[in-house]
Amino acid sequence: MKRRLLLSTALLPMLTLAAPPVPTVLPLWPEGVPPARRADAPAARGEVAPERTDEQGRIAHVSLPTLTVVPPAVDRPNGTAVILCPGGGYSVLSFQREGLQYAAWLSTLGITTFILKSRLQDWGHPAPLQDVLRALRLVRSRAAEFGVRPDRIGVMGSSAGGHLAATASTLFEHADGRTGAALDAVSARPDFAVLVYPVITLMPPAAHPGSRKALLGEQPESALLTLLSVDQQVTPATPPTLLLHTQFDKTVPVDNSLLHYQALTRAGVPAELYVFEQGGHGIGMRDGLGNASAWPRRAEDWLRQRGLLNKDTPR
């Protein structure tokens, strides 16, 4: 017993050294968060509740957006970065399941991940768009500091986070995403996009009503519905995109991914689409859902094929 205790004590420093580093959290707007522009949003009236995190790791009432930096596995850095947008219908952020869990997986691929804690329904449009584009500009402007390549910075998101990632890949030059800050001069165009069961259209019949209401309010203008139905904003400048969805998603119908894939194809944008038979909405990285549980492997294949998991020039 004594010998066992001595061995355990001797191992403690090694175990301490092996512990993963504490993620760095960066303020997104150190100069001050831009004011809410949507007149009926609670933030415009100064009525945002304090930020809170529930027992499932979901965050609500974000007023101070941040980026949580999760570094790549120590022996695998490859210079690729991902701005990660958790889902939650623009009412909460599934920060644990679609943020930290995804980042742990991306770390094993050598990717540096920046989990975006963006503003939500308390602020409405264009606050989330401003946040994701600021994240892209910030990371690109400090690429050397983070050990990433400025031409290998992508976006990834699930559900409403997929919508936010898709707005970044289509509206990266839109005036709504600018605030007059010096960083506006830095390109916010992602170099690739991975969209997991994403909200794409805000138009019936395939729209997710909860995301639409949270982002645009009860009676959105038709121009905003068109602008933020991102399949209608695809151009040849939209970056290569991977879409993953399940056939019988009853919350965000698969038509969302189909519409976006068709738009990408019409514009000549390189794209792949996987539609899995099993699983509903919000599958995260759960096991037991047939081929749908293997979506991270399909995503890894796609990233590898595009040269994003090595140090060579991507294709």
Side-chain angles (χ1 to χ4, degrees):
M1 178 65 73
K2 184 176 180 181
R3 184 181 177 187
R4 209 174 290 166
L5 285 171
L6 287 171
L7 284 171
S8 298
T9 304
L11 284 171
L12 278 175
M14 296 173 63
L15 292 172
T16 302
L17 288 173
V22 177
T24 301
V25 179
L26 305 173
L28 204 56
W29 304 96
E31 74 276 28
V33 178
R37 292 189 194 171
R38 210 184 83 194
D40 64 335
R45 304 189 301 267
E47 298 175 358
V48 181
E51 183 177 308
R52 62 174 177 81
T53 303
D54 68 14
E55 66 281 356
Q56 296 183 44
R58 295 176 300 194
I59 303 174
H61 306 303
V62 176
S63 288
L64 295 175
T66 61
L67 283 177
T68 297
V69 187
V70 179
V74 68
D75 57 347
R76 300 182 185 178
N78 54 34
T80 295
V82 164
I83 308 298
L84 188 56
C85 306
Y90 286 112
S91 59
V92 297
L93 294 174
S94 185
F95 203 82
Q96 182 69 41
R97 292 186 64 241
E98 295 171 349
L100 292 171
Q101 182 176 220
Y102 287 8
W105 158 62
L106 291 168
S107 176
T108 68
L109 302 183
I111 293 173
T112 304
T113 306
F114 299 82
I115 311 173
L116 176 61
K117 186 175 75 171
S118 58
R119 289 170 289 168
L120 300 164
Q121 65 182 357
D122 300 297
W123 295 73
H125 177 74
L129 178 63
Q130 291 174 342
D131 289 348
V132 70
L133 297 186
R134 165 54 75 101
L136 283 153
R137 291 181 173 116
L138 186 153
V139 172
R140 184 162 280 128
S141 70
R142 296 169 60 180
E145 174 188 342
F146 295 127
V148 302
R149 286 177 39 168
D151 61 347
R152 282 170 58 162
I153 301 171
V155 287
M156 177 177 178
S158 298
S159 192
H163 182 264
L164 184 55
T167 63
S169 70
T170 53
L171 301 176
F172 48 86
E173 291 186 339
H174 199 276
D176 282 356
R178 300 179 185 275
T179 64
L183 270 179
D184 282 355
V186 177
S187 171
R189 179 187 179 273
D191 297 299
F192 60 93
V194 178
L195 310 179
V196 187
Y197 41 87
V199 173
I200 292 293
T201 182
L202 299 187
M203 305 282 198
H208 178 239
S211 294
R212 181 180 60 211
K213 178 182 176 182
L215 189 61
L216 298 179
E218 292 280 2
Q219 296 181 318
E221 298 176 2
S222 60
L224 277 178
L225 286 174
T226 301
L227 177 69
L228 294 169
S229 292
V230 288
D231 59 301
Q232 300 187 43
Q233 307 307 322
V234 170
T235 73
T238 301
T241 300
L242 174 65
L243 294 138
L244 306 117
H245 224 115
T246 60
Q247 183 180 16
F248 298 113
D249 188 332
K250 295 181 179 179
T251 303
V252 177
V254 69
D255 295 316
N256 282 266
S257 284
L258 295 174
L259 286 167
H260 203 54
Y261 179 76
Q262 290 170 339
L264 293 163
T265 300
R266 285 193 299 270
V269 177
E272 286 191 17
L273 166 65
Y274 289 92
V275 178
F276 303 103
E277 177 187 354
Q278 296 186 44
H281 189 69
I283 63 174
M285 299 182 76
R286 290 202 300 271
D287 292 328
L289 298 175
N291 290 334
S293 293
W295 74 258
R297 289 198 287 276
R298 301 291 76 78
E300 179 181 349
D301 291 342
W302 185 80
L303 292 165
R304 193 177 305 283
Q305 186 275 331
R306 299 210 63 80
L308 293 164
L309 299 185
N310 56 48
K311 296 184 179 181
D312 298 328
T313 302
R315 289 178 292 189

